[in-house]
Structure formats: C-alpha cells, structure tokens
Amino acid sequence: MLPPPEGVWGMPLEVLQKLPGYDPDIAKNRAEARKIMEKLGYGPNKHLETKVSTRNIPSWRDPAVLLISQLKEIYIDAELDVVDTTQWYPRVMRKDFTVGLQVTEAGVDDP
C-alpha cells in the first residue's frame, strides 16, 4: 500500500509528523536518537555492535547498506550479514537474526 503522495493509504501528514522519527527535520530526528542511545550508555566512544541480515540479492542488499550507514550516525555499528535466498525464510522462521531487513514490494495501491 503506497503512502501519500503517490498512494492514498497513509496517515495525514500532521499525524505522521508527530510520530517519533517522522519529523521532516532529519538532523533533529538523529539528535533525538543519539540522546536515546546515550541514555542507554552508548555514545561516540562506545558504539552498539550488531548485524543486519538480509537476502543476498541487490534489491535487498542495497537498502541494508543504506540502513547500516544511517545507524552509524546514532552510535550503532552494524555488519552486513547476507543470507542465501534458500536459507533466508527458514532463518526468519527460526527468528535467527538480530536485525533483519525485509523488502516488501507491491505494484498495486489497494488494500
């Protein structure tokens, strides 16, 4: 289901902007995220280390690389864990991941 403006299935902008992380001011969102991480004991000298798992195909790998890049801005160092497609769904069913990036694609704007 495509969100506005391309689709019609989404929250009104004034409601969406009140949700954490959806303010259009990206610098403000990142500053708030860093404050949360600092409250949890992380910061410039102590990063949280994790893995981002995803299928080993470009349309899934590329967004995972972007996610990892953005996580670095809030004291999270993530390693890309690419998984062969034949092993991806069994791994998800076993919940054998810490952070999993799943690409959901749909061409129809209809619930």
Side-chain angles (χ1 to χ4, degrees):
M1 298 191 316
L2 295 171
E6 293 85 5
V8 296
W9 310 104
M11 290 185 196
L13 188 58
E14 60 274 4
V15 175
L16 185 65
Q17 288 180 346
K18 293 178 183 175
L19 296 174
Y22 282 89
D23 188 303
D25 185 346
I26 294 170
K28 177 183 164 192
N29 292 339
R30 299 265 165 80
E32 290 175 1
R34 282 189 289 272
K35 285 181 187 174
I36 291 169
M37 292 298 289
E38 287 165 0
K39 285 181 184 177
L40 296 171
Y42 298 96
N45 298 322
K46 181 182 178 192
H47 288 203
L48 173 65
E49 293 186 12
T50 190
K51 289 186 178 185
V52 174
S53 301
T54 194
R55 287 173 64 193
N56 192 15
I57 53 176
S59 60
W60 291 48
R61 234 182 9 246
D62 294 350
V65 170
L66 292 173
L67 172 62
I68 289 168
S69 172
Q70 292 179 358
L71 289 173
K72 286 181 183 186
E73 295 183 30
I74 61 166
Y75 314 131
I76 299 174
D77 291 336
E79 176 185 338
L80 181 61
D81 178 27
V82 290
V83 181
D84 186 79
T85 297
T86 60
Q87 297 302 314
W88 174 250
Y89 292 104
R91 192 176 212 190
V92 169
M93 294 298 290
R94 291 190 313 267
K95 299 178 184 174
D96 183 16
F97 60 92
T98 303
V99 177
L101 187 126
Q102 168 80 35
V103 177
T104 303
E105 302 161 351
V108 179
D109 188 27
D110 187 354

